[in-house]
Amino acid sequence: SNGNQMMRTNSRTHDEANPPQIPGKRSCGLIMPVSTLDGVSAEHWLEVRAILVSAIESIQSPGFSVRMVSDADESGIIQKRIIQNVYSSDIVVCDVSGKNPNVMFELGMRLAFDKAVVIVKTLESIALKPQMPMSPEFTPPNTSGRMS
């Protein structure tokens, strides 16, 4: 076995959270954690995913079909599929609640492609993090406040 061989995955059967692309509807890619992260269970992310999919699919005009950017109708190299779906989705919704490195990388690609993205974050994750004070007088640490 070649150590440089890329991971291959088999196609999954479609479930309610990952319908195939529906003609006449716009595609919405979903980027979010899927496994246990920082003590938050995989089941939690499934619940969040169901909420996001339901909210997105409730939009009447234009209609959207939602699927994870890592999903595809055929088997193949997962990294290639993710990049293709991050690029080709009409819009992407990205949940940055867990600061998952893969999520942040995929979001960075979407932003680099200069394409539409909606970033969401749960209130729980915001409440758990200390917030930096933001005011007109606030100067971020380690800067002189001037543009260089």
Side-chain angles (χ1 to χ4, degrees):
S1 159
N2 181 345
N4 293 329
Q5 182 179 1
M6 295 184 139
M7 183 186 340
R8 293 191 161 272
T9 60
N10 294 325
S11 63
R12 298 183 204 171
T13 57
H14 296 294
D15 61 359
E16 292 167 9
N18 290 298
Q21 181 60 36
I22 300 168
K25 288 196 172 191
R26 294 189 178 184
S27 62
C28 177
L30 188 56
I31 299 173
M32 63 177 295
V34 293
S35 58
T36 301
L37 175 70
D38 292 335
V40 179
S41 69
E43 291 76 22
H44 167 80
W45 298 118
L46 284 173
E47 290 176 24
V48 171
R49 180 173 163 179
I51 292 166
L52 289 172
V53 169
S54 176
I56 296 163
E57 289 181 343
S58 72
I59 299 169
Q60 296 297 311
S61 181
F64 290 97
S65 62
V66 185
R67 62 197 271 168
M68 296 291 292
V69 296
S70 57
D71 290 342
D73 296 324
E74 68 286 333
S75 64
I77 300 170
I78 192 167
Q79 294 90 339
K80 179 180 178 185
R81 176 184 325 137
I82 290 170
I83 293 169
Q84 286 175 332
N85 289 337
V86 165
Y87 181 81
S88 64
S89 295
D90 293 315
I91 192 165
V92 164
V93 173
C94 181
D95 185 341
V96 298
S97 301
K99 292 192 178 176
N100 176 294
N102 291 337
V103 169
M104 296 300 176
F105 183 73
E106 292 163 19
L107 173 60
M109 284 192 299
R110 182 68 180 189
L111 293 171
F113 295 143
D114 199 23
K115 297 203 165 217
V117 63
V118 175
I119 300 171
V120 297
K121 187 170 185 176
T122 61
L123 289 175
E124 291 84 9
S125 67
I126 294 170
L128 295 175
K129 309 281 187 237
Q131 301 297 309
M132 294 177 68
M134 295 302 286
S135 70
E137 300 82 33
F138 177 70
T139 302
N142 302 321
T143 66
S144 63
R146 292 176 294 163
M147 299 290 286
S148 46

